[in-house]
Amino acid sequence: MRAPHPRRALRTTTVGAVSATLVAGAAFGLAPAAQAAPAAPAAAPPAASATDVRFVDIPGDGGTILKANVFTPKGAQPGTRYPAIVLPTSWAMPQIEYVAQAQKLANSGYVVVSYNSRGFWQSGGEIETAGPEDIADASKVIDWTLANTPADPSKVGMAGVSYGAGISLLAAGHDKRVKAVAALSGWGDLIDSIYSGRTQHSQAAALLGGAGALTGRPSAELQQTLKDFLGSNLDKEDEMIAWGAKRSPATYLDDINENGAAVMLGNAWGDTLFPPNQYAEFYERLTGPKRLEFRPGDHATAEATGLLGLPNDTWTSTQRWFDHYLKGADNGIDKEQPVQLKSRSEGGYEGYPDWKSVGPDRKKIAMAGSTTIRANVDSGANGGIAILSNALDQFLKIPPTASVPLLPRRYTGVWQSERYTSAQRVRGTAKLHTTLTSTKESGTLVAYLYDVGPLGLGKLVSNAPYTFHGKTPGKPFGVDLELFSTAYDVPAGHRLALVVDTVDPLYIEHNPSGAQLTFSSPESDPSYVSVPLREQ
């Protein structure tokens, strides 16, 4: 059934983002696998002076063949056992994704088995999106590893980037043999990742769908779910949420905690597929040994150089994590502050005892008066392009920008702080609280927090979407929205600005034609945005 109000086609920026990503993949030699087929000659791994490497077929759940590679410490003696690390590949990536890191780990005394997740490339089956078959595959790969390599059954770890991170966390809740996990650029809650604020993250979903279709065989369930999701089929909303919950490690948190695996989570502040908020919340609910690391960048960009064999902080932490929790090395990682953050501005890492301790001070920007904006027009304030914009911020310190004084007030609400006399170190999650009145029963708003310089140029600090349905036109209702967590230093002499509009190419918007949104600040319940700051 159609949604209760007209839906617009995906914007050209979404299509462009998908095309750019897939073209980039092709540039790296990623060609599609139209169907499961016998293995083509595998690309030779880097020369390994201290490891033995072989390419194998591993029977997964239901006998589905998973293409894999195995790195074993060279000269392993019969009877000698080594800790093992299993690496499921990322979404759309081939089985050689982790070759550089697998070799490093094997050189330091690990058995490493990397396998191509089902449905992708030359592995069999269909893409089940971290469903029950993928969880069962992880256990089957562990079975095979213990039976066919000198792996120690009491020292098994799992790690991965993106899709591999999600599968590793899910496996930790279903297989007690998993003793340590490093989940990089992954998700704890799939729904809160791509449907936060009850808003479809259209570029993220389209990227995943496009890359899956190019490099694998999406299941009928995945194809239908994407169709309903991107088509705004609200009649299927409950089914889509249930589909996502089944694939969310947070659903199995009690099992993960009971099994007791040591869990390290790493992510980027600007991850447009799996925003940091949901990972931080998942981290706080873990009860076993744990570590959380956030860095500048977008989805998987923080780990990318390590996949090429270059020095990389994320992978260095990953090996230290496994060295301690699988080898028992006294390397001090368990004695460090478990929450490690790196600002998008300058500076090194900051340690905190827990996520709650990040940004303990808060300053409010008042949203006084009453402001009405018209919907359905992109004001020029937006979150950029998935992957590209935050990668530019990571490497060149160029975040999405907007001229705040020139934003059309007909389509935007703008509230600004005073000019700050000292630098403001934003750390954590900014929160918007306001009263909203709409002329229609459904609608979408997008909130942005900008660092505004003396000339009015705003650099994006954070953003988040919010969608409502079933509201009574003309009747005020409360809105509480968490913006995506970040770490950003606002220079002295600058100010912060909250900007709200109704259209952003990152998201699907639900504003009927002619809709207007009014933001008010009742005396009994003032509106504001609360900004978390590190202690000065």
Side-chain angles (χ1 to χ4, degrees):
M1 295 180 64
R2 294 176 62 86
H5 39 300
R7 289 290 145 250
R8 295 167 178 78
L10 288 178
R11 304 181 192 283
T12 55
T13 48
T14 300
V15 177
V18 175
S19 301
T21 298
L22 300 184
V23 168
F28 282 100
L30 306 184
Q35 59 183 8
S49 60
T51 58
D52 289 327
V53 187
R54 55 193 172 115
F55 289 79
V56 300
D57 291 350
I58 298 178
D61 183 50
T64 297
I65 295 301
L66 306 173
K67 297 295 180 177
N69 52 67
V70 182
F71 285 72
T72 307
K74 192 172 183 65
Q77 299 298 314
T80 302
R81 294 290 178 181
Y82 299 89
I85 298 175
V86 173
L87 302 169
T89 55
S90 303
W91 187 272
M93 292 296 287
Q95 63 164 304
I96 60 171
E97 174 186 11
Y98 300 114
V99 162
Q101 289 301 321
Q103 180 178 320
K104 286 184 178 181
L105 289 165
N107 285 346
S108 61
Y110 292 92
V111 170
V112 184
V113 178
S114 173
Y115 70 94
N116 223 143
S117 302
R118 70 164 52 224
F120 288 105
W121 296 85
Q122 292 172 331
S123 282
E126 297 180 330
I127 302 172
E128 303 294 346
T129 324
E133 299 88 346
D134 294 293
I135 300 171
D137 282 347
S139 290
K140 291 290 187 181
V141 172
I142 293 173
D143 292 342
W144 186 93
T145 300
L146 297 180
N148 294 276
T149 74
D152 186 336
S154 67
K155 298 178 180 178
V156 176
M158 290 190 68
V161 175
S162 185
Y163 196 45
I167 292 174
S168 295
L169 285 174
L170 289 163
H174 289 78
D175 195 320
K176 294 183 178 181
R177 295 174 296 181
V178 179
K179 302 302 182 185
V181 170
L184 313 175
S185 287
W187 72 92
D189 187 324
L190 189 57
I191 296 301
D192 199 30
S193 294
I194 62 174
Y195 195 49
S196 71
R198 207 180 177 187
T199 308
Q200 297 101 317
H201 295 210
S202 54
Q203 286 190 17
L207 283 169
L208 292 171
L214 182 66
T215 62
R217 299 164 301 284
S219 67
E221 183 182 30
L222 172 58
Q223 292 181 62
Q224 186 62 50
T225 300
L226 278 173
K227 180 180 179 180
D228 291 336
F229 185 78
L230 292 173
S232 299
N233 188 349
L234 294 177
D235 290 338
K236 294 292 186 70
E237 184 179 39
D238 289 343
E239 291 181 31
M240 289 186 283
I241 290 175
W243 178 87
K246 184 186 293 185
R247 291 158 171 80
S248 295
T251 301
Y252 312 100
L253 190 69
D254 289 344
D255 297 316
I256 294 173
N257 286 334
E258 182 178 350
N259 291 347
V263 177
M264 186 187 105
L265 306 175
N267 204 358
W269 292 119
D271 195 320
T272 43
L273 271 64
F274 307 129
N277 303 46
Q278 52 86 31
Y279 233 23
E281 182 178 346
F282 179 77
Y283 168 83
E284 282 291 89
R285 296 170 61 197
L286 291 168
T287 59
K290 58 184 180 178
R291 183 178 177 92
L292 177 67
E293 299 184 351
F294 282 141
R295 300 177 175 85
D298 206 308
H299 185 67
T301 63
E303 300 85 20
T305 56
L307 294 176
L308 300 175
L310 301 174
N312 181 277
D313 290 354
T314 306
W315 286 104
T316 297
S317 290
T318 295
Q319 181 157 348
R320 292 181 65 221
W321 191 252
F322 286 133
D323 284 351
H324 180 76
Y325 287 102
L326 294 182
K327 284 185 175 181
D330 186 14
N331 57 16
I333 196 167
D334 59 319
K335 300 179 180 64
E336 297 170 359
Q337 297 274 39
V339 175
Q340 294 286 322
L341 312 181
K342 188 172 185 180
S343 171
R344 290 165 47 203
S345 307
E346 302 299 331
Y349 288 91
E350 303 166 0
Y352 300 84
D354 51 37
W355 178 251
K356 294 189 296 290
S357 299
V358 176
D361 294 338
R362 285 191 170 268
K363 285 188 178 180
K364 290 183 178 180
I365 301 173
M367 299 171 61
S370 178
T371 300
T372 298
I373 63 175
R374 290 165 173 79
N376 303 305
V377 172
D378 188 342
S379 69
N382 64 66
I385 299 173
I387 309 299
L388 177 61
S389 295
N390 289 314
L392 289 174
D393 184 35
Q394 175 185 0
F395 295 111
L396 301 177
K397 298 291 187 292
I398 305 176
T401 59
S403 176
V404 174
L406 297 182
L407 290 173
R409 296 314 196 255
R410 184 181 181 91
Y411 305 108
T412 54
V414 179
W415 298 266
Q416 298 191 74
S417 72
E418 74 285 357
R419 293 191 187 277
Y420 297 116
T421 57
S422 60
Q424 305 294 297
R425 294 181 290 183
V426 179
R427 298 291 186 274
T429 309
K431 299 178 180 180
L432 168 66
H433 174 75
T434 190
T435 296
L436 179 63
T437 306
S438 174
T439 59
K440 305 291 184 178
E441 68 168 13
S442 296
T444 297
L445 65 90
V446 185
Y448 310 89
L449 190 64
Y450 281 102
D451 161 23
V452 184
L455 299 180
L457 181 65
K459 295 183 178 180
L460 188 64
V461 177
S462 184
N463 78 99
Y466 178 89
T467 293
F468 58 90
H469 296 291
K471 298 297 183 181
T472 302
K475 183 177 181 179
F477 60 94
V479 171
D480 287 286
L481 174 64
E482 289 190 348
L483 277 64
F484 300 136
S485 304
T486 194
Y488 182 98
D489 297 335
V490 180
H494 288 211
R495 66 178 77 204
L496 283 169
L498 177 74
V499 174
V500 178
D501 72 0
T502 62
V503 176
D504 191 304
L506 285 173
Y507 313 112
I508 290 179
E509 49 94 358
H510 296 258
N511 295 296
S513 179
Q516 296 184 33
L517 304 180
T518 298
F519 300 87
S520 57
S521 184
E523 185 175 343
S524 60
D525 186 18
S527 296
Y528 60 85
V529 59
S530 173
V531 181
L533 300 173
R534 185 183 176 191
E535 292 179 338
Q536 300 297 319

